[in-house]
Amino acid sequence: MTKKEFQSSKPHLIVGTLGHYNHGKTTLTAALLKLLSRQNLAKVIDYADLAKGGTQLSTTKLSTTYVDYTTHKRQYIHIDCPSLPDTDSSRQVYDGILEMDAAILVIDVTKGIEAQTREHVIFARQSNITHFVVFLNKCDEGTDPEQLDFLSQDIRELLNNYHFDGDNTAVICGAALPALQGDPKWEEKLTALLDALDAIPQPQLNTNRPFLMTISNTYSLPGRGTVASGKIQYGRISTGEEIEVIGIQNTNKMAISGIEVFRKQQIDQAQAGDIIGCLLKGISLEDIRQAQVLASVSTAKAHLQFTASLYVLTKEEGGRH
């Protein structure tokens, strides 16, 4: 890929779809991409490709998917998290949430708030996400308006209970599948959802601290080296800069030989808030792993003892009992 300077004319925000298994998160993602593609603001991706193993009838989603789109105000990276009927996907969901600035909480109005709905809200709270937009899905199925009002109140109460501003959170009543199929009535609800996302305040980026990035994924590029990807929490990083790989095993020092933003463009520099892949030479895939961190030299170190604040899920929240 030819290296070129990455230029962004709009601020960017990392969002994701959260909610209980089979409530329509991936269908909503596909519908948003299709709607925006007509304005040349996104690329259409089929539902099956987004689901990576799911079908429209059985929406089990096996892995995290990253897509991007643009509105007239912002550029978005959108994380569509796994969706499994049990807790096996919790780690992948949590990893996705750690990269989000804000989230779309998807709730099937025929089922209401379920265990993973509450669990994902708690994950978001623990990950310092500050803003939600709620999408009530399947409102085309003749739901009683009074029932919708009660559900909206329950959702606002749930968000308030976990210290979000539920009273002022946008709640959009829509239907992802008809919108994906091109129904103008429900496409308007997607536009309202995008407007609500655009109204979320732009996060303040901490670029003054030394560079630090948690590794969310690793893979090998034959003949080139090992790539560590993740979201930059602090600072800036440039191609050729020396960094350390810290945590879990011995600290390794090496130089970054390439930076790629969202697997699209090779760039010379990235900063806090960017999701990037760092090409590292001199380290094998076996010697680097998820949950380690990349950091500027001599600015961070691993600890064997630490003090932590622990939140244990109750039985009602989907935890152990």
Side-chain angles (χ1 to χ4, degrees), residues 193-211:
L193 173 62
L194 292 167
D195 289 342
L197 288 178
D198 280 346
I200 292 173
Q202 192 66 25
Q204 298 298 310
L205 303 177
N206 193 334
T207 57
N208 294 323
R209 292 180 58 175
F211 166 75

Side-chain angles (χ1 to χ4, degrees), residues 6-112:
F6 177 69
Q7 295 181 339
S8 175
S9 59
K10 297 178 182 178
H12 77 270
L13 195 77
I14 303 171
V15 301
T17 43
L18 300 177
H20 194 79
Y21 161 73
N22 211 12
H23 277 219
K25 300 184 293 296
T26 302
T27 304
L28 176 61
T29 300
L32 288 170
L33 292 174
K34 186 174 182 181
L35 175 67
L36 289 169
S37 71
R38 297 209 299 266
Q39 305 173 53
N40 294 319
L41 297 175
K43 178 182 178 181
V44 174
I45 302 177
D46 291 338
Y47 177 91
D49 292 330
L50 286 172
K52 295 182 179 178
T55 68
Q56 201 68 62
L57 297 178
S58 177
T59 54
T60 299
K61 180 174 166 56
L62 303 179
S63 60
T64 304
T65 305
Y66 293 76
V67 300
D68 65 324
Y69 49 80
T70 304
T71 65
H72 295 294
K73 182 177 179 179
R74 278 201 183 111
Q75 294 178 332
Y76 289 91
I77 293 177
H78 181 117
I79 304 173
D80 196 52
C81 291
S83 180
L84 298 172
D86 51 35
T87 59
D88 289 345
S89 61
S90 293
R91 175 58 191 268
Q92 289 191 62
V93 171
Y94 192 63
D95 288 341
I97 290 175
L98 284 172
E99 295 181 327
M100 296 178 192
D101 299 314
I104 305 168
L105 184 63
V106 182
I107 301 174
D108 182 339
V109 297
T110 67
K111 298 175 181 177

Side-chain angles (χ1 to χ4, degrees), residues 32-296:
L32 288 170
L33 292 174
K34 186 174 182 181
L35 175 67
L36 289 169
S37 71
R38 297 209 299 266
Q39 305 173 53
N40 294 319
L41 297 175
K43 178 182 178 181
V44 174
I45 302 177
D46 291 338
Y47 177 91
D49 292 330
L50 286 172
K52 295 182 179 178
T55 68
Q56 201 68 62
L57 297 178
S58 177
T59 54
T60 299
K61 180 174 166 56
L62 303 179
S63 60
T64 304
T65 305
Y66 293 76
V67 300
D68 65 324
Y69 49 80
T70 304
T71 65
H72 295 294
K73 182 177 179 179
R74 278 201 183 111
Q75 294 178 332
Y76 289 91
I77 293 177
H78 181 117
I79 304 173
D80 196 52
C81 291
S83 180
L84 298 172
D86 51 35
T87 59
D88 289 345
S89 61
S90 293
R91 175 58 191 268
Q92 289 191 62
V93 171
Y94 192 63
D95 288 341
I97 290 175
L98 284 172
E99 295 181 327
M100 296 178 192
D101 299 314
I104 305 168
L105 184 63
V106 182
I107 301 174
D108 182 339
V109 297
T110 67
K111 298 175 181 177
I113 296 171
E114 297 195 79
Q116 288 178 347
T117 312
R118 187 179 301 274
E119 182 180 289
H120 290 181
V121 170
I122 296 169
F123 282 178
R125 177 72 279 162
Q126 299 300 99
S127 304
N128 296 319
I129 287 177
T130 56
H131 291 85
F132 270 107
V133 174
V134 177
F135 186 79
L136 300 181
N137 195 23
K138 302 187 182 179
C139 290
D140 59 322
E141 299 192 7
T143 308
D144 182 3
E146 187 173 348
Q147 179 185 347
L148 288 177
D149 287 340
F150 282 130
L151 179 57
S152 295
Q153 292 173 19
D154 288 343
I155 294 165
R156 294 187 190 280
E157 183 178 349
L158 171 67
L159 294 175
N160 285 332
N161 285 343
Y162 292 103
H163 310 293
F164 293 100
D165 187 6
D167 295 337
N168 294 306
T169 296
V171 178
I172 290 95
C173 183
L177 183 57
L180 179 60
Q181 294 169 339
D183 187 325
K185 173 183 176 181
W186 299 111
E187 285 183 336
E188 289 179 5
K189 301 299 183 179
L190 299 189
T191 300
L193 173 62
L194 292 167
D195 289 342
L197 288 178
D198 280 346
I200 292 173
Q202 192 66 25
Q204 298 298 310
L205 303 177
N206 193 334
T207 57
N208 294 323
R209 292 180 58 175
F211 166 75
L212 186 140
M213 183 189 93
T214 302
I215 298 172
S216 61
N217 194 20
T218 61
Y219 54 94
S220 179
L221 291 179
R224 296 182 61 191
T226 299
V227 175
S229 64
K231 179 183 178 181
I232 301 177
Q233 276 81 47
Y234 308 119
R236 292 183 170 89
I237 190 67
S238 300
T239 300
E241 188 172 333
E242 196 170 54
I243 54 92
E244 290 179 328
V245 183
I246 304 170
I248 304 176
Q249 46 201 18
N250 292 335
T251 298
N252 287 299
K253 185 184 296 186
M254 66 202 64
I256 291 180
S257 57
I259 304 172
E260 193 173 74
V261 58
F262 194 52
R263 298 186 179 180
K264 282 189 171 182
Q265 292 175 298
Q266 291 187 4
I267 56 176
D268 291 323
Q269 187 180 80
Q271 67 176 19
D274 292 334
I275 292 180
I276 64 170
C278 294
L279 181 62
L280 307 172
K281 288 188 176 181
I283 189 168
S284 67
L285 197 58
E286 292 74 26
D287 294 327
I288 190 169
R289 62 171 70 179
Q290 184 185 42
Q292 289 183 293
V293 299
L294 304 183
S296 297

